[in-house]
Amino acid sequence: MRYLARRGGIFLITLWAALTVNFAIPRIMPGNEAAAVLSTFRGVNPAAEHALEIEFGTNVHHSLISSYFSYLGNCFSGQFGSNALGESVVHAIASAMPWTLGLVGVTTVIAFMIGTLVGIFSAWSRGGKLDGLLPPFLFIISTLPVFFVGLLLLYVFSVKLGWLPLSGNYDIGSTPGLSLAFAWDVFKHALLPGISLVIVTAGLWVYSMRNNMVTTIAEDYVKMARAKGLSNARIMYDYAARNAILPNLTGFAMQLGYVLGGSILVEYLFSYPGLGYQFYTATTDHDLPMMQGLFLFYTLAVLVCVLVADLVTAVIDPRTREA
Amino acid sequence: MSTPPALLEVQGLTIEYLTDAAAVRAVDAVSFSVNAGEFVGIVGESGCGKSTMLFGIAQLLSPPGEVTAGSVTFRGRDMVRLSAGELRHMRWRDFSVVMQSAMNALNPMKSIGAQFRDALLAHERMPADRVKERSAEVLTLVGIDPVHLHSYPHQLSGGMRQRAMIAMALLFTPQLVVMDEPTSALDVVAQRSLMLKIRELQERLGFAVIFVTHDMHVVNRYSDRVLVMYAGQVVETAPTEQLFGQPRHPYSRGLIEAFPSVTGPRRELVGIPGSPPDLAEPIKGCRFRERCPVAFAACAEIEPALIDVEGAQVRCLLYSDAGVVGERERSGAPSDG
Amino acid sequence: MPGSELEAPDSGARAARRRELPRLLKAITTSRKATIGTLILLVIVFVAAFPGLIAPDNPQAISYTPNAGVSWSHVLGTTSLGQDVFSQLLWSTRQTLIVTLLVSAIATFLSTFVGVTAAYLGGVADRAITIVTDVFLILPVLPLLILLAAYLPPGVTSLTIVLCITSWAFQARQLRAQGLSLRNRDFLVSAKVRGERSLYIIFAEIVPTMTSLLAASFLSLAVYVVGFAASLQFLGLGNSGQLMWGTMLYNAQQQSALESGNIWWELAPGFAVALLGAGFALLNYAFDEIGNPALRPVKKKRAARRSLPRRSRP
């Protein structure tokens, strides 16, 4: 239980850190950038403008400490302000969230499966062709900037071959709804962004998984399992893979931040209207409340995944129960 | 009158580590045999190849380590040349392994009982209650309460873990148990208790033991016969009493002198200066020459063969008249000089 | 135990350091990955140092027809303003490489300092530092980068600063682990007994023994810095007037280069970024293998062995 308490502590502290970063940035912003932000909101959104002035500290009626605590209070009561368009940040995020969730969720699962399987098998067949070629190949691919992979795919499949759409999440003419045609439309639009993410993420998983597996296979208890005459399949699954994946679940969850970053780039490239695209437009529009809200959301998403991984680890790995 | 065939017959066993850079011969044409019920100790300093040889015998080497020559005949079958399936069939049933650190050798994420069950079910279809029964039986044999079948390795004390590992090794009452320094990680008290238990079980169940260690005291107390290894070769082998009473090889002498007796007269601690040769480089003559207090000119030129001397076998020019190749030629390894 | 090596504690460390460099060099030349990686990096460094030797034109001179296709005089075509893409690509190498190396060096230094100090101090200080490191590791990098970069004046300095802020935590954990394993070694205890200050011990005694780990950390960081720097600029958070691959990508993207057919303007800098990353990655991969022998490729062919039947393993 101490293990969970410690992990819970990290959760809270990180959340606090993210909130504080959000609070601190407007105050350290150089003057011209601050002016750019304010000008976005001038006239359009007086309430937001006022809130921003408090954030920037230009409003002398509030001291630093009291501003900080009222800011924290607002966050916990769910008030994240309004964006440049006048709509509530929470609402804007909620409407874009499903698209990103779908894209990132599906690709992460696929990439994890590919990465894990290839990693396990290549580590198991040390010295074979698979181990010699595939992991370095996938590793190189995982180091390719995700926007580059996206660019290539975009060029080959959209521009040159015209097989898949260039941008968006569904055609302008389609009507959203639970129809097969719509689903296919959505799928077509999500395919290239998805593949870009899968390619880069899978490489990352393969590399971690393979290295974990190699280290695990070298452990004495795997040798002991061989000595006991257990079948190869049993050793690979029950003694090696399980011990390679499960204690490292938290580490894997922490890589989610990297995947989310990738999704921002991919959504920008394909003009896919998810949270990443919102982040981009908020940046060019100097829409600070939106950026802060999204940053918080991303952090929260990673934290939740890490916490879930911690819980699963606590349940499955008997060593954590004593720790 | 013929003696019964040995349980285990190792002939000219050579084990090399084959890397991109070089082939390092960790075990060089070693031959010895183990009879049923015997307790054979293998001693030598770190890096002499004893653990490598042990795992080589048990067919548990990992790449880049490989058996490159020789045979390991167990109950009439050469294990080196057996197919994977046949070997797997023999594992644990006919011979089992006990490793140095139970903390590392036991899967930290599985309970003791689960690991016992894995071993049992890998070889026989056993109903669940029979599995439980047998598991409880072996735990009781080593003096552990069967309730610990539900425990995880980290929940047991060091001594209990080692004993649990030994219990696991006895699940099928094998004829040979191979042990790699199982007492090194324990304190002296736990060590003694474990060794006594091993000897007791051995007498009761009749299995042979090959026991690798660097602790001369343990070997003296508990083994029937000793093999002394140096730089990948056996340099002396003799019944325990004979070895400790009259060590022939200068290295054996040095080893024994380095372990003063607690009860004997006080004397100065004598070590063996220097360190073992680099096995990646070819060595001319006797491998122990550089550290040997009684080396002479011929030692640098001629590699001594293992010679029978009054019930023991020694690899030293002090005891041979002819000196040259012989043993090595017979086992088929390339001769030098 | 007979045969133990009794060397003076200090000489052990110095001997270890002396052995590291030649062993390192040998390891690099024998590994194919390392060789390829090193070659790639050497080529890029050469181009960064002497772009004028290869580039035919002034990279920013608006002298040609905009969006001209690939031709002998313009190997990669021209930009929408009429600049030679190839020349721009080559001249952008220097700034890109400098930023990458600078950030990696600073971040490695910070990582080492934090990691080793935490290991050395132990106790509460260690725990506090570890918590801070963990927090930085969880915060999603690109969103944080964007948030920070959006509100600093665009340019190389801001880029360097924000990248350093987000990269220092990356390797701190590994370096701390290494520091922990060294903490009680003889040569450190002797330094402490001599009365050396902690800072001295950390930098003059501990760090020099970690050279290969430091090199590996540096390379690991470099891989990510290359990608992140280019990503930030691609999104428009750099100074589009500067000569870097990322800004080339941004300008090309703004002009819809891919769709309008001027593909090399956008793809070439992308390839360049990928190539630089791959170079560092290959070298890093090789270093991982050096550090952890278990990861090394297993030799398939055997030297002069008698034929013994090969069983299927592991």
Side-chain angles (χ1 to χ4, degrees):
Chain A
M1 282 315 111
R2 277 191 61 195
Y3 171 75
L4 280 180
R6 214 185 120 244
R7 299 308 299 175
I10 301 267
F11 179 93
L12 291 173
I13 295 180
T14 313
L15 196 56
W16 169 82
L19 288 170
T20 309
V21 164
N22 267 341
F23 181 75
I25 284 188
R27 293 182 181 248
I28 58 177
M29 218 182 279
N32 51 337
E33 306 296 336
V37 174
L38 283 173
S39 69
T40 307
F41 286 83
R42 194 147 291 145
V44 174
N45 200 334
E49 194 183 337
H50 181 74
L52 278 174
E53 277 176 351
I54 297 181
E55 281 201 53
F56 288 136
T58 51
N59 188 323
V60 297
H61 295 303
H62 297 247
S63 72
L64 182 68
I65 304 287
S66 74
S67 302
Y68 185 53
F69 280 105
S70 57
Y71 165 74
L72 286 179
N74 281 342
C75 290
F76 280 107
S77 61
Q79 293 172 23
F80 293 98
S82 321
N83 63 12
L85 299 170
E87 54 176 359
S88 109
V89 164
V90 175
H91 182 81
I93 291 183
S95 61
M97 188 172 74
W99 296 104
T100 299
L101 220 60
L103 184 66
V104 172
V106 172
T107 53
T108 305
V109 169
I110 296 178
F112 183 74
M113 289 195 323
I114 296 177
T116 307
L117 288 172
V118 174
I120 292 180
F121 278 102
S122 86
W124 197 245
S125 67
R126 298 295 306 289
K129 285 208 196 75
L130 195 65
D131 186 46
L133 292 175
L134 209 50
F137 174 68
L138 284 168
F139 178 67
I140 300 290
I141 296 211
S142 80
T143 62
L144 293 177
V146 66
F147 64 82
F148 175 64
V149 174
L151 275 176
L152 277 180
L153 288 174
L154 185 69
Y155 175 65
V156 171
F157 291 102
S158 297
V159 178
K160 232 21 214 315
L161 296 173
W163 287 353
L164 291 165
L166 267 175
S167 63
N169 53 346
Y170 54 84
D171 279 335
I172 303 180
S174 309
T175 34
L178 282 142
S179 68
L180 206 59
F182 184 66
W184 173 242
D185 197 23
V186 168
F187 178 73
K188 263 198 306 179
H189 280 84
L191 198 59
L192 286 184
I195 293 180
S196 317
L197 278 176
V198 166
I199 289 178
V200 171
T201 324
L204 206 64
W205 291 133
V206 165
Y207 187 66
S208 331
M209 193 59 204
R210 177 186 168 266
N211 286 357
N212 282 343
M213 270 298 273
V214 167
T215 313
T216 307
I217 288 176
E219 294 274 3
D220 279 346
Y221 55 81
V222 172
K223 196 173 243 191
M224 188 59 117
R226 265 173 70 200
K228 291 197 284 193
L230 304 188
S231 69
N232 276 352
R234 183 117 231 193
I235 302 178
M236 187 168 83
Y237 168 68
D238 223 7
Y239 283 74
R242 231 170 127 220
N243 288 47
I245 301 181
L246 290 174
N248 294 300
L249 221 47
T250 303
F252 290 147
M254 280 170 69
Q255 290 178 351
L256 190 66
Y258 185 70
V259 179
L260 282 177
S263 77
I264 296 180
L265 289 166
V266 157
E267 289 187 16
Y268 162 64
L269 194 58
F270 290 93
S271 301
Y272 186 85
L275 297 172
Y277 194 71
Q278 269 187 346
F279 206 108
Y280 166 71
T281 47
T283 312
T284 45
D285 290 346
H286 296 282
D287 191 341
L288 188 56
M290 200 63 201
M291 289 180 68
Q292 292 178 327
L294 282 163
F295 173 67
L296 216 54
F297 181 79
Y298 279 128
T299 306
L300 206 61
V302 178
L303 278 174
V304 166
C305 288
V306 169
L307 203 63
V308 168
D310 288 337
L311 277 168
V312 174
T313 307
V315 165
I316 294 189
D317 189 345
R319 292 172 289 186
T320 55
R321 294 185 212 146
E322 316 297 306
Chain B
M1 192 174 65
S2 60
T3 47
L7 181 67
L8 179 79
E9 183 97 38
V10 178
Q11 267 294 344
L13 187 64
T14 304
I15 301 176
E16 293 177 305
Y17 284 99
L18 302 165
T19 61
D20 276 337
V24 175
R25 193 171 284 194
V27 175
D28 197 349
V30 167
S31 304
F32 69 97
S33 56
V34 177
N35 297 313
E38 237 189 331
F39 192 118
V40 176
I42 303 185
V43 293
E45 58 197 279
S46 312
C48 69
K50 54 191 197 293
S51 294
T52 305
M53 185 173 73
L54 200 70
F55 286 113
I57 291 174
Q59 309 303 310
L60 285 176
L61 292 172
S62 301
E66 272 204 40
V67 172
T68 53
S71 64
V72 178
T73 311
F74 179 65
R75 292 177 67 189
R77 305 167 77 188
D78 183 1
M79 295 209 286
V80 176
R81 284 159 185 84
L82 280 183
S83 73
E86 292 173 313
L87 189 62
R88 197 171 81 72
H89 191 77
M90 283 176 74
R91 286 198 195 278
W92 226 247
R93 261 202 266 240
D94 301 329
F95 72 96
S96 57
V97 176
V98 171
M99 294 204 203
Q100 183 169 353
S101 160
M103 193 63 236
N104 296 335
L106 294 173
N107 188 337
M109 292 177 62
K110 289 190 132 201
S111 68
I112 306 288
Q115 301 189 47
F116 280 27
R117 186 171 55 239
D118 281 343
L120 287 169
L121 293 179
H123 297 283
E124 266 181 49
R125 275 174 201 261
M126 253 188 222
D129 49 331
R130 176 78 192 112
V131 166
K132 220 159 165 212
E133 201 189 311
R134 181 64 188 154
S135 306
E137 240 173 70
V138 291
L139 272 189
T140 324
L141 261 182
V142 297
I144 299 180
D145 189 329
V147 73
H148 284 293
L149 282 175
H150 299 292
S151 302
Y152 287 88
H154 66 273
Q155 292 172 315
L156 303 175
S157 73
M160 279 174 81
R161 272 198 297 269
Q162 294 297 115
R163 278 184 284 148
M165 208 169 39
I166 292 177
M168 188 159 75
L170 297 174
L171 280 170
F172 287 104
T173 330
Q175 297 193 302
L176 173 67
V177 180
V178 148
M179 304 193 186
D180 183 21
E181 305 204 48
T183 55
S184 300
L186 302 174
D187 62 81
V188 205
V189 178
Q191 200 181 78
R192 181 165 182 273
S193 138
L194 189 71
M195 289 310 301
L196 286 176
K197 182 57 80 177
I198 292 176
R199 268 310 253 197
E200 175 202 319
L201 288 169
Q202 196 193 15
E203 263 145 49
R204 200 149 112 188
L205 301 171
F207 52 88
V209 172
I210 302 182
F211 194 95
V212 163
T213 181
H214 58 261
D215 188 338
M216 296 300 277
H217 285 314
V218 168
V219 163
N220 191 358
R221 272 303 257 109
Y222 302 102
S223 61
D224 298 323
R225 211 157 39 95
V226 185
L227 250 76
V228 181
M229 280 188 74
Y230 185 77
Q233 293 178 318
V234 173
V235 296
E236 184 167 357
T237 165
T240 310
E241 262 187 48
Q242 191 178 1
L243 181 75
F244 282 84
Q246 194 187 5
R248 292 190 160 82
H249 196 281
Y251 180 61
S252 316
R253 227 174 280 144
L255 275 182
I256 293 170
E257 280 175 11
F259 278 78
S261 153
V262 176
T263 52
R266 268 181 72 164
R267 57 178 179 83
E268 230 176 276
L269 259 186
V270 186
I272 306 178
S275 47
D278 181 359
L279 291 173
E281 307 292 323
I283 303 162
K284 194 152 189 267
C286 172
R287 294 181 187 188
F288 187 59
R289 154 185 48 102
E290 298 208 346
R291 304 166 73 187
C292 183
V294 296
F296 48 93
C299 299
E301 299 297 314
I302 307 171
E303 181 172 339
L306 201 60
I307 308 263
D308 291 313
V309 180
E310 299 168 2
Q313 286 183 307
V314 197
R315 189 189 294 274
C316 181
L317 291 181
L318 289 172
Y319 300 93
S320 69
D321 333 297
V324 197
V325 269
E327 185 85 5
R328 286 174 63 72
E329 237 165 32
R330 256 182 281 142
S331 69
S335 58
D336 43 23
Chain C
M1 191 60 227
S4 61
E5 302 157 35
L6 291 171
E7 293 177 19
D10 274 10
S11 64
R14 258 178 263 134
R17 269 174 258 159
R18 252 182 281 128
R19 282 197 291 264
E20 284 251 11
L21 193 58
R23 205 167 32 150
L24 224 61
L25 288 173
K26 176 160 186 268
I28 292 181
T29 42
T30 48
S31 155
R32 202 166 13 157
K33 295 185 199 75
T35 327
I36 299 180
T38 317
L39 275 172
I40 295 178
L41 290 177
L42 285 176
V43 167
I44 293 182
V45 167
F46 179 76
V47 172
F50 308 110
L53 285 181
I54 321 173
D57 296 297
N58 183 328
Q60 290 169 313
I62 305 176
S63 7
Y64 304 102
T65 19
N67 294 317
V70 175
S71 66
W72 280 117
S73 51
H74 297 290
V75 185
L76 293 172
T78 59
T79 69
S80 62
L81 289 176
Q83 303 156 321
D84 180 34
V85 171
F86 186 55
S87 305
Q88 252 192 13
L89 189 72
L90 294 176
W91 279 92
S92 303
T93 315
R94 181 180 295 175
Q95 192 77 292
T96 313
L97 194 61
I98 290 180
V99 170
T100 307
L101 295 176
L102 192 62
V103 172
S104 305
I106 296 177
T108 306
F109 173 77
L110 288 173
S111 272
T112 312
F113 183 63
V114 170
V116 174
T117 308
Y120 184 72
L121 293 178
V124 178
D126 181 16
R127 228 128 25 125
I129 296 179
T130 308
I131 290 181
V132 173
T133 311
D134 276 354
V135 166
F136 269 87
L137 281 177
I138 298 187
L139 289 178
V141 178
L142 196 61
L144 183 58
L145 276 175
I146 296 176
L147 196 58
L148 291 171
Y151 293 100
L152 289 174
V156 172
T157 333
S158 309
L159 191 65
T160 311
I161 293 176
V162 303
L163 283 170
C164 287
I165 294 178
T166 50
S167 313
W168 69 264
F170 189 41
Q171 294 286 351
R173 262 234 179 116
Q174 276 99 301
L175 291 160
R176 173 179 171 271
Q178 181 74 349
L180 279 178
S181 72
L182 292 172
R183 196 153 59 138
N184 291 316
R185 291 262 273 264
D186 282 343
F187 67 97
L188 290 181
V189 177
S190 92
K192 208 160 186 191
V193 165
R194 286 204 309 267
E196 303 285 5
R197 289 230 234 85
S198 299
L199 218 65
Y200 169 85
I201 296 182
I202 292 175
F203 280 104
E205 300 277 357
I206 300 184
V207 171
T209 61
M210 294 173 22
T211 1
S212 61
L213 187 60
L214 288 177
S217 301
F218 178 83
L219 292 171
S220 208
L221 275 165
V223 173
Y224 287 105
V225 170
V226 171
F228 278 124
S231 303
L232 275 181
Q233 291 172 323
F234 184 53
L235 288 170
L237 291 162
N239 186 339
S240 59
Q242 279 173 329
L243 275 178
M244 290 179 70
W245 293 337
T247 49
M248 278 182 77
L249 281 162
Y250 172 71
N251 290 324
Q253 179 74 0
Q254 291 300 104
Q255 301 296 324
S256 305
L258 274 187
E259 286 111 50
S260 62
N262 192 352
I263 56 170
W264 289 112
W265 188 21
E266 189 149 14
L267 288 181
F271 267 114
V273 170
L275 193 65
L276 184 58
F280 282 122
L282 281 168
L283 209 51
N284 185 28
Y285 202 90
F287 262 82
D288 268 350
E289 288 179 354
I290 294 175
N292 183 356
L295 293 175
R296 286 187 205 154
V298 175
K299 183 172 171 155
K300 284 293 284 178
K301 24 183 188 42
R302 279 140 256 280
R305 54 165 285 211
R306 282 128 238 204
S307 53
L308 282 178
R310 173 147 179 75
R311 272 199 293 265
S312 67
R313 285 176 180 240

